[in-house]
Amino acid sequence: MNEHTSRLNRERRFLVLLGVICLALIGGALYMQIVLGEAPCPLCILQRYALLLIAVFAFIGAAMPGRRSLTILEGLVVLSAIGGMAAAGNHVYILANPAISCGIDTLQPIVDGLPLASVLPLVFQVDGFCSTPYPPVLGLSLAQWALLAFTLTAVLVPVGIYRNRRKP
């Protein structure tokens, strides 16, 4: 195995790990929803979509044989992470300013109208308000953790590409 193949395999392993982490985060959100009774708001659901897209693009990217297709899918991972950052950042802002609403009247029909909301309503259907403060996890709100995860993804994927693709 040459150095080039070894570096691409490292990238693929990272993408598989990223996909598994994203699915675990969705699983954690479902646990909090079903077991702890924390209802998801429209921005929570948009963050779940972003996590799902990151996982799907990461898994597909990890299966791609060529460098070009791997790079395209990594770009889609980064774009999905940026979308997740926008939703999570907005959610963090709303939690910091409770007088502001996420616009459940506006966002709920849009988010509930997305295809997965009818296929998997338990996972992708709005049931709560963005301004509802739930207990923090290790000192941060769920929206802050999501913002951190999306930001790390948007930064670490390009850093990994640069590190693995530069000439030795």
Side-chain angles (χ1 to χ4, degrees), residues 93-115:
Y93 179 77
I94 289 168
L95 288 173
N97 301 288
I100 299 171
S101 172
C102 62
I104 194 165
D105 297 334
T106 307
L107 278 180
Q108 183 176 6
I110 295 168
V111 174
D112 284 347
L114 294 171

Side-chain angles (χ1 to χ4, degrees), residues 116-135:
L116 288 178
S118 59
V119 175
L120 295 168
L122 178 68
V123 181
F124 293 106
Q125 209 161 45
V126 174
D127 198 24
F129 297 96
C130 298
S131 57
T132 304
Y134 290 112

Side-chain angles (χ1 to χ4, degrees), residues 68-93:
R68 180 175 292 148
S69 55
L70 178 61
T71 303
I72 290 169
L73 283 150
E74 287 169 329
L76 292 172
V77 164
V78 171
L79 287 175
S80 299
I82 291 169
M85 285 171 60
N90 193 9
H91 199 176
V92 168
Y93 179 77

